[in-house]
Amino acid sequence: MPSSTTTLSLTTSAPAGIKADALIVGVHASAEGPLLTHEPTPESPWQAITDAAALAGLTGRPGDVATLPGGDLVAADRLVLVGLGEVEKLTPERVRRAAGVAARAVAGLRTVATTLSAVDLTATAEGLLLGSYQFEAYKGARKAAVRTVRLVVPSAAKAAKDELQRAVVTAESVLLARDLVNTAPNDLFPASFAERARAAAETAGLKVQVLDEKALAKGGYGGILAVGSGSVRPPRLVRISYAPRGARTSVALVGKGITFDSGGISIKPGPGMPDMTSDMAGAAAVVATVIGAAALGLPIAVTATVPLAENLPSGSAYRPGDVITHYAPRGQQATTSHILNTDAEGRIVLADAIVRACEDGPDYLLETATLTGAQLVALGDRTMGVMGTDELRDRVAELARECGEDGWAMPLPEHLREGLDSYLADLQNISNNRYGGMLVAGHYLGHFVADGVQWAHLDVAGPAFNGGATYGYTTQGGTGVPVRTLLATLADLAAR
Ligand code: BES
Ligand code: MN
Ligand code: ZN
């Protein structure tokens, strides 16, 4: 996993006395002007700081940040004030975003301290590490990330140390996913993705299996092979297993790994096509999640199954009109799909991967993909759509909101499934019904989930990639969504 260049530690020192390059303090917005997150006490200068914040024109709204000289106020050279919004509306996500904003305000500094951690330690640690992220493969660091941050907490006992450790592992898992998404498609193709996943997983002590195109043909993975057939860079299937001793629950993770989606013969229009470098964000997330689960030592067995292919048009590409046969375990009837649009490719590779994942007999299946433009139409670009079996779907959507990634449960209306009936094969890969494209795709995937497996499908077409400007702790490009939701779900299932 990429280890962040920022090191975090805990301190119980009085914040005003900490000698550092900067002290970051949260400020609430109120009718009476800015309000500090700490009550003034006789020995601390918080009232003077509040006055200074007001004079600097800081309102305390989310996104606000101002740097003042530490002067006589605090022992640190600079005082960085960052907005948290109204006290009554405070959430962990507001703290996380403020920490992200503050992290960039202190970029280039060496030693920093913050009291945001006294409000919420996990959110502060995650926000600092995610907000200071820069992808340096193609462009040098603009300003080095802050070197060390001391997190002020009421107690630095074991519970706080463990909480910090979990937050660091979570953030580093997100950063691994971001690195993979941000790697350009000429560098990240099925074979190179597989090798990077193998290296990261083996370093973490996990078992890895990679099927190349020959093994895929031998195994009958007709969906993955069809989608990958247009590219000179052949497809792969990667499997990564974490199996701690004594685990009673098993979870299958599946993530869409289209290293570039041109649409294939059903080619996409030019604008927006470069963003299809992110069409492997689901794959990146599940690879990062299984590694993160191991680093956290979660008492639950996890296997990630990752289909990787590049969807390109060429003389060898699969066509609209083709009928393909999906993977099926020995002795089990294989499903056939009539391809009506080669741009609905994610579901085709996922179908093979879901069947393979279910062959292990997992209790739960968590599957994620940048699957449909319809997700963006339905929920916007920052809210994932969660479908699947009722209970797991609702729990995952709730956990997505709790961890700050934002998700919403979506239905799978029965009549929409009928649009996938084909006159020629078991299914067709797009519907005759123009509406509810995200839900139709969910239905298609649901066909391949084995009976008795609790299942959640996370469509992250919008949230996985930030095509706009940096905000909060969300940098440009890959966001790492839904790594935090998946880790939170694994922790939740492990605790049952
Ligand atoms: N990778 C795209 C979905 C996507 C769109 C992700 C925008 C991120 C941003 C997917 O493979 C796709 O092309 N889906 C089609 C499906 C359609 C042909 C049924 C779509 O959504 O248009
Ligand atoms: Mn597509
Ligand atoms: Zn796609």
Side-chain angles (χ1 to χ4, degrees), residues 362-363 449-454:
D363 300 308
V449 178
D451 289 342
V453 177
Q454 298 198 56

Side-chain angles (χ1 to χ4, degrees), residues 256 258 260-263 268 276 278-280 311 342-347 370-372:
K256 171 179 173 182
I258 299 299
F260 184 71
D261 181 15
S262 70
K268 289 179 181 295
M276 288 303 115
S278 67
D279 214 18
M280 35 52 71
N311 189 21
T342 62
D343 198 12
E345 84 298 337
R347 60 197 74 182
T370 47
L371 201 60
T372 66

Side-chain angles (χ1 to χ4, degrees), residues 145-335:
V146 54
R147 191 75 76 74
T148 65
V149 183
R150 297 172 67 188
L151 306 171
V152 175
V153 283
S155 151
K158 183 164 186 312
K161 287 193 183 123
D162 289 349
E163 184 180 344
L164 174 58
Q165 176 59 15
R166 281 196 299 274
V168 170
V169 170
T170 301
E172 288 182 346
S173 304
V174 173
L175 298 186
L176 170 57
R178 284 186 184 177
D179 277 354
L180 287 166
V181 172
N182 288 336
T183 303
N186 53 325
D187 289 326
L188 195 80
F189 43 92
S192 65
F193 186 122
E195 282 323 304
R196 285 181 61 167
R198 181 203 290 282
E202 285 181 349
T203 302
L206 303 182
K207 234 184 83 198
V208 181
Q209 182 192 27
V210 178
L211 302 190
D212 64 11
E213 69 273 26
K214 285 197 197 99
L216 289 168
K218 193 152 175 266
Y221 291 87
I224 298 171
L225 287 165
V227 173
S229 64
S231 174
V232 294
R233 300 189 289 196
R236 294 286 183 268
L237 181 74
V238 177
R239 308 240 311 146
I240 304 173
S241 294
Y242 164 59
R245 221 178 271 276
R248 282 177 294 120
T249 305
S250 64
V251 181
L253 300 176
V254 173
K256 171 179 173 182
I258 299 299
T259 58
F260 184 71
D261 181 15
S262 70
I265 298 290
S266 314
I267 197 162
K268 289 179 181 295
M273 203 197 279
D275 288 0
M276 288 303 115
T277 180
S278 67
D279 214 18
M280 35 52 71
V286 302
V287 168
T289 298
V290 65
I291 294 172
L296 291 169
L298 295 179
I300 188 169
V302 182
T303 296
T305 302
V306 184
L308 297 162
E310 184 174 42
N311 189 21
L312 293 181
S314 81
S316 58
Y318 79 135
R319 292 154 286 261
D322 284 359
V323 175
I324 58 136
T325 302
H326 291 283
Y327 173 76
R330 227 182 275 276
Q332 206 169 296
Q333 184 64 42
T335 298

Side-chain angles (χ1 to χ4, degrees), residues 27-54:
V27 181
H28 288 296
S30 81
E32 289 79 48
L35 205 69
L36 286 192
T37 50
H38 280 67
E39 290 300 313
T41 61
E43 70 277 15
S44 71
W46 299 123
Q47 187 55 52
I49 294 177
T50 305
D51 296 344

